[in-house]
Amino acid sequence: MTGYDEERIAGLLRLLPAPPDSWVTAAQQLPRARAEIDEIVARSKGDAAFRAALVADLETALADAGYEATPSVVAAVRLRLGAN
């Protein structure tokens, strides 16, 4: 232990500036984005045509399926599909 108790740590955290609003917004969107990425990957495992469309043109396949093809979602799906 470093000798800091919970109250001391809380006091030190209060001294930090507030995070930028964009960080807060991004953190709030993470659970939904992760669930959506999990859904896309699961669907690709059970639907060969969907997987082929993802491999052929990821952004278009996501848009055609009703997903928002943001850069972070595209990168995460691309990574997950490459790992499977």
Side-chain angles (χ1 to χ4, degrees), residues 16-64:
L16 293 172
D21 290 339
S22 60
W23 290 9
V24 174
T25 301
Q28 291 169 336
Q29 293 172 349
L30 276 175
R32 181 174 170 260
R34 286 182 179 145
E36 189 171 85
I37 292 163
D38 289 343
E39 178 183 309
I40 292 165
V41 172
R43 182 174 169 191
S44 75
K45 290 179 181 178
D47 184 341
F50 181 60
R51 183 175 181 90
L54 290 173
V55 170
D57 186 348
L58 181 57
E59 291 86 349
T60 301
L62 290 175
D64 289 349

Side-chain angles (χ1 to χ4, degrees), residues 1-23:
M1 290 298 277
T2 60
Y4 291 109
D5 60 17
E6 290 176 8
E7 289 180 21
R8 175 73 175 138
I9 292 171
L12 292 171
L13 288 172
R14 278 193 294 275
L15 296 174
L16 293 172
D21 290 339
S22 60
W23 290 9

